[in-house]
Amino acid sequence: MLISTQISIFDVLQLIYHTRKKWTYNLATETSVNERPYINITNLIWSFDHDSNCVNLLLVKRSEWPFENRWALPETFLRSNEDADESALRLVKEKIGLELADFHTEQLATFTHQTRYPGSRSLSLSYMTFLPDMPKLDPGYGTTDARWFAMSFNESQYLFSNGDQQFATAADTNHDEYYAKLDANQLADNQLAFDHSWILKVACDRIKNKLDYQPNILLMLGTSFTLKSARRVYAAFLKKDVNQIDNSNFKKNHKHLFVEVGITTSNRPGRPARKYQLAYLPA
Amino acid sequence: MLISTQISIFDVLQLIYHTRKKWTYNLATETSVNERPYINITNLIWSFDHDSNCVNLLLVKRSEWPFENRWALPETFLRSNEDADESALRLVKEKIGLELADFHTEQLATFTHQTRYPGSRSLSLSYMTFLPDMPKLDPGYGTTDARWFAMSFNESQYLFSNGDQQFATAADTNHDEYYAKLDANQLADNQLAFDHSWILKVACDRIKNKLDYQPNILLMLGTSFTLKSARRVYAAFLKKDVNQIDNSNFKKNHKHLFVEVGITTSNRPGRPARKYQLAYLPA
DNA sequence: GCAAAAGTGTTCACATTACACCCATGA
DNA sequence: TCATGGGTGTAATGTGAACACTTTTGC
């Protein structure tokens, strides 16, 4: 059936390209040239501001089509000599330089909706990285600006703010409804490019769901952390105030996840807090 | 740096193909032609045999390179006119025909290791489908056989058997270690093609982890199910005997997930069992 | 010593477990 | 009426929430 669609000179060129691998293509059933979409690696890079005690997300201002001059999650193309997670790590290095040696990247999901990328087919292989620091940012290729956006929330969404700019996670909770509306919404100034508000929503939900059994998000607190800072992170994703999470209970409920590794030294009044690490080692 | 690698006529053709989209490529930094890998959709199709009370998985015998004449998870190529989840559904329809109207597909993960596919770069976008029935199978394109394999387990692996054939999930628990060994193992007769034993391991772990909060796997029991059959599914993934899961406690612990919808009629001795459904509706 | 920050302990409510008991059906 | 499969109830144990209390620091 697909053979009935128009075939351009580019399709033919692509076919020639394909055949160098001695792969036999069956046009009628298995393929057409358009089946090789762009492979975008999208990386949600998280960090924690120890001054403001806020969770932060890295956003970039695009300089190229599509969505030039608009804010988006950092993206790159998958290269032939790297796995997708290596590609996500490379993206981190491009934005923050190489001063950080040790950080954790994990897969979020893959987004394949046909209209997610205007003009051409593109898949987003999305990853999340938790940085143990909040370094200065370097916009790098394809972007004119890169900034940290502090996370907050309202009843139905998470919000990410830097100065006047504020972006929210998708308001829809249903995948199909979100993408059905996506075309019409593409020009709203307070929205992230592409389907990034949806990707961001999926990310926040995932992080929240993993808090009680695999809180890799705490890696953004550094190699060790105090219970108070951990509670701040939990509170941010649970849409609570820190003080709504009782420290005594928090410690008891998560003792299987945390292991004590030392004590803080501080110049402020009050008993110094103990330091903890994740008891499991994220691969 | 990438510009220093050899450039073939095919690279040039691919570039011409690319430029029709008016996308400006920066060879030195962002791309090379090999960055458009094959997009394989891998679908793990699950079902339940009500006669043997076993969880079953669909495997196919490949007829084409690579791994011709070997068993593998069913795969297809992503087409230009479908999302990846639609592609996974199409794969189901090709294997089982169209007699089943209502079934659920969800994303598992995306596998991108450079050596996962011999000879060329290929990404696997993996999905899972839970069939409410165990229909006759149709091998379809690229395969000579398609069969149900019954799931069992040993201490460290899940096993899938049909007659003499038995395949196991990956023995490694570490991603990097698995892929480091993959080349050497490719020819063992009792192994699935590609990295499918790893994908299958990831799938089983995912299903197990979701049993207590989103047991979509129960959709393979049909539109409604008895507590006993649900316990059988749980037991299979928890590596227990059905009787190790107390019925009374099972009901109490999962009452937020199940809702009573009727009663079974049976010709056997014993009180008829009640029928339940998932209380939430998987999208 | 006092205030501030953090860690500890106690109580109560509720959930989970183990296991005994009761109910509905076919032969 | 008995064997069989399935549902219900209960006491003991374990877990989480609320909140009071103790410890350690800076000033």
Coordinates of all heavy atoms in Angstrom, one line a residue, chain C residues 2-26:
Chain C
dC2 P 17.9 30.9 80.0 OP1 17.2 32.0 80.8 OP2 17.6 29.5 80.2 O5' 17.7 31.3 78.5 C5' 18.2 32.5 78.0 C4' 18.3 32.4 76.4 O4' 19.5 31.8 76.0 C3' 17.1 31.6 75.8 O3' 16.6 32.3 74.7 C2' 17.8 30.3 75.5 C1' 19.2 30.8 75.0 N1 20.3 29.8 75.1 C2 21.2 29.8 74.1 O2 21.2 30.7 73.2 N3 22.2 28.9 74.1 C4 22.2 27.9 75.1 N4 23.2 27.0 75.0 C5 21.2 27.9 76.1 C6 20.3 28.8 76.0
dA3 P 15.1 32.0 74.2 OP1 14.3 33.2 74.6 OP2 14.7 30.7 74.6 O5' 15.3 32.0 72.6 C5' 16.2 33.0 72.0 C4' 16.8 32.4 70.8 O4' 17.8 31.4 71.2 C3' 15.8 31.6 69.9 O3' 16.1 32.0 68.6 C2' 16.1 30.2 70.2 C1' 17.7 30.2 70.4 N9 18.2 29.1 71.3 C8 17.7 28.6 72.4 N7 18.4 27.6 72.9 C5 19.5 27.5 72.0 C6 20.6 26.7 72.0 N6 20.8 25.8 72.9 N1 21.5 26.9 71.0 C2 21.3 27.8 70.1 N3 20.2 28.7 70.0 C4 19.4 28.5 71.0
dA4 P 15.1 31.6 67.4 OP1 14.9 32.9 66.6 OP2 14.0 30.9 67.9 O5' 16.0 30.6 66.5 C5' 17.3 31.0 66.1 C4' 18.0 29.7 65.7 O4' 18.4 28.9 66.8 C3' 17.2 28.8 64.7 O3' 17.9 28.5 63.6 C2' 16.9 27.6 65.5 C1' 18.1 27.5 66.5 N9 17.9 26.8 67.7 C8 16.8 26.9 68.6 N7 17.0 26.1 69.6 C5 18.2 25.5 69.5 C6 18.9 24.6 70.3 N6 18.4 24.1 71.4 N1 20.1 24.1 69.8 C2 20.5 24.6 68.6 N3 20.0 25.5 67.8 C4 18.8 25.9 68.3
dA5 P 17.2 28.1 62.2 OP1 17.8 28.9 61.1 OP2 15.8 28.0 62.5 O5' 17.8 26.6 62.1 C5' 19.2 26.3 62.0 C4' 19.4 24.9 62.4 O4' 19.1 24.7 63.8 C3' 18.6 23.9 61.6 O3' 19.5 23.1 60.9 C2' 17.9 23.1 62.7 C1' 18.7 23.4 64.0 N9 18.0 23.3 65.2 C8 16.8 23.9 65.5 N7 16.4 23.6 66.7 C5 17.3 22.8 67.3 C6 17.5 22.2 68.5 N6 16.6 22.3 69.5 N1 18.6 21.4 68.7 C2 19.5 21.3 67.7 N3 19.4 21.8 66.5 C4 18.3 22.6 66.3
dA6 P 19.0 21.9 59.9 OP1 20.0 21.8 58.8 OP2 17.6 22.1 59.6 O5' 19.1 20.6 60.8 C5' 20.4 20.4 61.5 C4' 20.2 19.2 62.4 O4' 19.5 19.7 63.6 C3' 19.4 18.0 61.9 O3' 20.3 16.9 61.9 C2' 18.3 17.8 62.8 C1' 18.7 18.6 64.1 N9 17.6 19.1 64.9 C8 16.7 20.0 64.5 N7 15.8 20.3 65.4 C5 16.2 19.6 66.5 C6 15.7 19.5 67.8 N6 14.7 20.1 68.3 N1 16.4 18.6 68.7 C2 17.5 18.0 68.2 N3 18.0 18.0 67.0 C4 17.4 18.8 66.2
dG7 P 19.9 15.5 61.3 OP1 21.0 14.9 60.6 OP2 18.6 15.6 60.7 O5' 19.7 14.6 62.7 C5' 20.7 14.5 63.6 C4' 20.2 13.9 64.8 O4' 19.2 14.7 65.4 C3' 19.5 12.5 64.7 O3' 20.0 11.6 65.7 C2' 18.0 12.8 64.9 C1' 18.1 14.0 65.8 N9 16.9 14.9 65.8 C8 16.5 15.6 64.7 N7 15.4 16.3 65.0 C5 15.1 16.0 66.3 C6 14.1 16.4 67.2 O6 13.1 17.2 66.9 N1 14.2 15.8 68.4 C2 15.2 15.0 68.8 N2 15.1 14.5 70.1 N3 16.1 14.6 68.1 C4 16.1 15.1 66.8
dT8 P 19.4 10.1 65.8 OP1 20.5 9.3 66.3 OP2 18.7 9.8 64.6 O5' 18.3 10.3 67.0 C5' 18.8 10.6 68.3 C4' 17.6 10.3 69.3 O4' 16.6 11.3 69.1 C3' 17.0 9.0 69.1 O3' 16.9 8.4 70.4 C2' 15.6 9.3 68.6 C1' 15.3 10.7 69.1 N1 14.4 11.5 68.3 C2 13.3 12.0 68.8 O2 12.9 11.8 70.0 N3 12.5 12.8 68.0 C4 12.8 13.1 66.7 O4 12.0 13.8 66.0 C5 14.0 12.5 66.1 C7 14.4 12.8 64.7 C6 14.7 11.8 66.9
dG9 P 16.3 6.9 70.7 OP1 17.1 6.3 71.8 OP2 16.2 6.3 69.4 O5' 14.9 7.2 71.2 C5' 14.7 8.2 72.2 C4' 13.3 8.3 72.7 O4' 12.5 9.2 71.7 C3' 12.5 7.0 72.6 O3' 11.8 6.9 73.9 C2' 11.7 7.0 71.4 C1' 11.4 8.5 71.2 N9 11.2 9.0 69.9 C8 12.0 8.7 68.8 N7 11.6 9.2 67.7 C5 10.5 9.9 68.0 C6 9.6 10.7 67.3 O6 9.7 11.0 66.1 N1 8.5 11.2 68.0 C2 8.4 11.0 69.4 N2 7.3 11.6 69.9 N3 9.2 10.3 70.1 C4 10.2 9.8 69.4
dT10 P 10.7 5.8 74.1 OP1 10.8 5.5 75.6 OP2 10.9 4.7 73.2 O5' 9.4 6.5 73.8 C5' 9.0 7.7 74.6 C4' 7.5 7.9 74.3 O4' 7.3 8.4 72.9 C3' 6.7 6.6 74.3 O3' 5.4 6.9 74.9 C2' 6.5 6.2 72.9 C1' 6.4 7.5 72.2 N1 6.8 7.6 70.8 C2 6.1 8.4 70.0 O2 5.1 9.1 70.3 N3 6.5 8.4 68.7 C4 7.6 7.7 68.1 O4 7.9 7.8 66.9 C5 8.3 6.9 69.1 C7 9.4 6.1 68.6 C6 7.9 6.9 70.3
dT11 P 4.4 5.7 75.4 OP1 4.2 5.9 76.8 OP2 5.0 4.4 74.9 O5' 3.1 6.0 74.6 C5' 2.7 7.4 74.5 C4' 1.8 7.5 73.3 O4' 2.6 7.5 72.1 C3' 0.7 6.4 73.1 O3' -0.6 7.0 73.2 C2' 1.1 5.8 71.8 C1' 1.8 6.9 71.1 N1 2.8 6.4 70.0 C2 2.7 7.0 68.8 O2 1.9 7.9 68.5 N3 3.7 6.6 67.9 C4 4.6 5.6 68.1 O4 5.4 5.3 67.2 C5 4.6 5.0 69.4 C7 5.6 3.9 69.7 C6 3.7 5.4 70.3
dC12 P -1.8 6.0 73.3 OP1 -2.8 6.7 74.2 OP2 -1.4 4.6 73.5 O5' -2.4 6.1 71.8 C5' -2.6 7.4 71.2 C4' -2.9 7.2 69.7 O4' -1.6 6.8 69.1 C3' -3.9 6.2 69.4 O3' -4.9 6.7 68.5 C2' -3.1 5.0 68.8 C1' -1.9 5.8 68.2 N1 -0.7 5.0 68.0 C2 0.1 5.1 66.9 O2 -0.3 5.9 66.0 N3 1.2 4.4 66.7 C4 1.6 3.5 67.7 N4 2.7 2.8 67.4 C5 0.8 3.3 68.8 C6 -0.3 4.1 69.0
dA13 P -6.2 6.0 68.2 OP1 -7.3 6.9 68.5 OP2 -6.2 4.7 68.8 O5' -6.2 5.8 66.6 C5' -5.7 6.9 65.9 C4' -5.3 6.3 64.5 O4' -4.0 5.7 64.7 C3' -6.2 5.3 63.9 O3' -6.5 5.7 62.6 C2' -5.5 4.0 64.0 C1' -4.0 4.4 64.0 N9 -3.1 3.5 64.7 C8 -3.2 3.0 65.9 N7 -2.2 2.2 66.3 C5 -1.4 2.2 65.2 C6 -0.2 1.6 64.9 N6 0.5 0.8 65.8 N1 0.4 1.8 63.7 C2 -0.2 2.6 62.9 N3 -1.4 3.3 63.0 C4 -1.9 3.0 64.2
dC14 P -7.6 5.0 61.7 OP1 -8.3 6.0 61.0 OP2 -8.3 4.0 62.6 O5' -6.8 4.1 60.7 C5' -5.6 4.7 60.1 C4' -4.7 3.6 59.5 O4' -4.0 3.0 60.6 C3' -5.5 2.5 58.8 O3' -4.9 2.4 57.5 C2' -5.3 1.3 59.7 C1' -3.9 1.6 60.3 N1 -3.6 0.9 61.5 C2 -2.4 0.2 61.6 O2 -1.6 0.2 60.7 N3 -2.1 -0.5 62.8 C4 -2.9 -0.5 63.8 N4 -2.6 -1.2 64.9 C5 -4.2 0.2 63.7 C6 -4.5 0.9 62.6
dA15 P -5.5 1.6 56.3 OP1 -5.8 2.5 55.2 OP2 -6.6 0.8 56.9 O5' -4.4 0.6 55.9 C5' -3.0 1.1 55.8 C4' -2.0 0.0 55.9 O4' -1.9 -0.5 57.2 C3' -2.4 -1.2 55.0 O3' -1.2 -1.6 54.3 C2' -3.0 -2.2 55.9 C1' -2.1 -1.9 57.2 N9 -2.8 -2.3 58.4 C8 -4.0 -1.9 58.9 N7 -4.3 -2.3 60.1 C5 -3.2 -3.0 60.5 C6 -2.9 -3.7 61.6 N6 -3.8 -3.8 62.7 N1 -1.7 -4.3 61.7 C2 -0.9 -4.2 60.7 N3 -1.1 -3.6 59.5 C4 -2.3 -3.0 59.5
dT16 P -1.3 -2.7 53.1 OP1 -0.4 -2.1 52.1 OP2 -2.7 -3.0 52.9 O5' -0.6 -4.0 53.7 C5' 0.6 -3.8 54.5 C4' 0.9 -5.2 55.1 O4' 0.2 -5.3 56.4 C3' 0.6 -6.4 54.3 O3' 1.8 -7.2 54.2 C2' -0.5 -7.1 55.1 C1' -0.3 -6.6 56.5 N1 -1.4 -6.5 57.5 C2 -1.3 -7.1 58.7 O2 -0.3 -7.6 59.1 N3 -2.4 -6.9 59.5 C4 -3.6 -6.3 59.2 O4 -4.6 -6.3 59.9 C5 -3.7 -5.8 57.8 C7 -4.9 -5.1 57.4 C6 -2.6 -5.9 57.0
dT17 P 1.9 -8.6 53.7 OP1 3.2 -8.9 53.2 OP2 0.7 -8.8 52.8 O5' 1.6 -9.5 55.0 C5' 2.6 -9.6 56.0 C4' 2.3 -10.7 57.0 O4' 1.1 -10.3 57.7 C3' 2.0 -12.0 56.3 O3' 2.9 -13.0 56.9 C2' 0.5 -12.3 56.6 C1' 0.3 -11.4 57.8 N1 -1.1 -10.9 58.0 C2 -1.8 -11.1 59.2 O2 -1.3 -11.6 60.1 N3 -3.0 -10.5 59.2 C4 -3.7 -9.9 58.2 O4 -4.8 -9.4 58.4 C5 -3.0 -9.7 57.0 C7 -3.6 -9.0 55.8 C6 -1.7 -10.3 56.9
dA18 P 3.0 -14.4 56.3 OP1 4.4 -14.8 56.4 OP2 2.3 -14.5 55.0 O5' 2.2 -15.3 57.4 C5' 2.4 -15.1 58.8 C4' 1.3 -15.8 59.5 O4' 0.1 -15.1 59.5 C3' 1.0 -17.2 59.0 O3' 0.9 -18.1 60.1 C2' -0.4 -17.0 58.3 C1' -1.0 -15.9 59.2 N9 -2.0 -15.1 58.5 C8 -2.0 -14.7 57.2 N7 -3.0 -13.9 56.9 C5 -3.8 -13.9 58.0 C6 -5.0 -13.2 58.3 N6 -5.7 -12.5 57.5 N1 -5.4 -13.3 59.6 C2 -4.7 -14.0 60.5 N3 -3.6 -14.7 60.3 C4 -3.2 -14.6 59.1
dC19 P 0.8 -19.7 59.8 OP1 1.6 -20.4 60.9 OP2 1.0 -20.0 58.4 O5' -0.7 -19.9 60.1 C5' -1.3 -19.3 61.3 C4' -2.8 -19.4 61.2 O4' -3.4 -18.3 60.4 C3' -3.4 -20.7 60.6 O3' -4.4 -21.2 61.4 C2' -4.0 -20.2 59.3 C1' -4.5 -18.8 59.7 N1 -4.9 -17.9 58.7 C2 -6.0 -17.0 58.9 O2 -6.5 -17.0 60.0 N3 -6.4 -16.2 57.9 C4 -5.8 -16.3 56.7 N4 -6.3 -15.4 55.8 C5 -4.8 -17.1 56.5 C6 -4.3 -18.0 57.4
dA20 P -4.8 -22.7 61.5 OP1 -3.7 -23.3 62.3 OP2 -5.0 -23.2 60.1 O5' -6.1 -22.7 62.3 C5' -6.4 -21.6 63.2 C4' -7.8 -21.1 63.1 O4' -7.8 -20.1 61.9 C3' -8.9 -22.1 62.8 O3' -10.0 -21.9 63.7 C2' -9.2 -21.9 61.3 C1' -9.0 -20.4 61.2 N9 -8.7 -20.0 59.8 C8 -7.8 -20.5 58.9 N7 -7.8 -20.0 57.7 C5 -8.8 -19.1 57.8 C6 -9.4 -18.1 56.9 N6 -8.9 -18.0 55.6 N1 -10.4 -17.4 57.3 C2 -10.9 -17.5 58.5 N3 -10.5 -18.3 59.5 C4 -9.4 -19.1 59.1
dC21 P -11.2 -22.9 63.7 OP1 -11.6 -22.9 65.1 OP2 -10.8 -24.2 63.1 O5' -12.3 -22.3 62.9 C5' -12.7 -20.9 63.1 C4' -13.6 -20.4 62.0 O4' -12.8 -20.2 60.8 C3' -14.7 -21.4 61.6 O3' -16.0 -20.7 61.7 C2' -14.4 -21.7 60.2 C1' -13.6 -20.5 59.7 N1 -12.8 -20.8 58.5 C2 -12.9 -20.0 57.4 O2 -13.8 -19.1 57.4 N3 -12.1 -20.2 56.3 C4 -11.2 -21.2 56.3 N4 -10.5 -21.4 55.3 C5 -11.0 -22.0 57.5 C6 -11.8 -21.8 58.6
dC22 P -17.4 -21.5 61.6 OP1 -18.2 -21.1 62.8 OP2 -17.1 -22.9 61.4 O5' -18.0 -20.8 60.4 C5' -18.0 -19.4 60.2 C4' -18.4 -19.1 58.8 O4' -17.3 -19.4 57.9 C3' -19.6 -19.8 58.2 O3' -20.4 -18.8 57.5 C2' -19.0 -20.8 57.3 C1' -17.8 -20.1 56.8 N1 -16.7 -21.0 56.3 C2 -16.2 -20.8 55.0 O2 -16.7 -20.0 54.3 N3 -15.2 -21.6 54.6 C4 -14.7 -22.5 55.4 N4 -13.7 -23.3 55.0 C5 -15.1 -22.7 56.8 C6 -16.1 -21.9 57.2
dC23 P -21.9 -19.2 57.0 OP1 -22.8 -18.1 57.2 OP2 -22.2 -20.6 57.5 O5' -21.7 -19.3 55.4 C5' -21.4 -18.2 54.7 C4' -21.2 -18.5 53.2 O4' -20.0 -19.4 53.1 C3' -22.4 -19.3 52.6 O3' -22.7 -18.6 51.4 C2' -21.8 -20.7 52.4 C1' -20.3 -20.4 52.2 N1 -19.4 -21.5 52.5 C2 -18.5 -22.0 51.5 O2 -18.6 -21.5 50.4 N3 -17.7 -23.0 51.8 C4 -17.6 -23.5 53.0 N4 -16.7 -24.5 53.3 C5 -18.5 -23.1 54.1 C6 -19.3 -22.1 53.8
dA24 P -24.1 -19.0 50.7 OP1 -24.6 -17.7 50.2 OP2 -24.9 -19.9 51.5 O5' -23.5 -19.7 49.4 C5' -22.7 -19.0 48.5 C4' -22.2 -20.0 47.4 O4' -21.3 -21.0 48.0 C3' -23.4 -20.8 46.7 O3' -23.1 -20.7 45.3 C2' -23.2 -22.2 47.3 C1' -21.7 -22.3 47.5 N9 -21.3 -23.1 48.6 C8 -21.8 -23.2 49.9 N7 -21.2 -24.0 50.7 C5 -20.2 -24.6 49.9 C6 -19.2 -25.6 50.1 N6 -19.0 -26.2 51.3 N1 -18.4 -25.9 49.1 C2 -18.5 -25.2 47.9 N3 -19.4 -24.3 47.6 C4 -20.2 -24.0 48.6
dT25 P -24.3 -21.1 44.3 OP1 -24.2 -20.1 43.2 OP2 -25.6 -21.3 45.1 O5' -23.9 -22.5 43.8 C5' -22.7 -22.6 42.9 C4' -22.1 -23.9 43.0 O4' -21.8 -24.3 44.3 C3' -23.0 -25.1 42.4 O3' -22.7 -25.3 41.1 C2' -22.6 -26.3 43.3 C1' -21.5 -25.7 44.3 N1 -21.6 -26.3 45.6 C2 -20.6 -27.2 46.0 O2 -19.7 -27.6 45.3 N3 -20.7 -27.6 47.3 C4 -21.7 -27.3 48.2 O4 -21.7 -27.8 49.4 C5 -22.6 -26.3 47.8 C7 -23.7 -25.9 48.7 C6 -22.6 -25.9 46.5
dG26 P -23.4 -26.4 40.2 OP1 -23.3 -26.0 38.8 OP2 -24.8 -26.6 40.9 O5' -22.6 -27.7 40.4 C5' -21.2 -27.7 40.0 C4' -20.6 -29.1 40.1 O4' -20.5 -29.5 41.5 C3' -21.5 -30.2 39.5 O3' -20.6 -31.2 38.9 C2' -22.3 -30.8 40.6 C1' -21.4 -30.6 41.8 N9 -22.0 -30.3 43.1 C8 -23.1 -29.5 43.2 N7 -23.5 -29.4 44.5 C5 -22.6 -30.2 45.2 C6 -22.5 -30.5 46.6 O6 -23.2 -30.0 47.5 N1 -21.4 -31.3 46.8 C2 -20.6 -31.8 45.9 N2 -19.6 -32.6 46.4 N3 -20.6 -31.6 44.6 C4 -21.7 -30.8 44.3

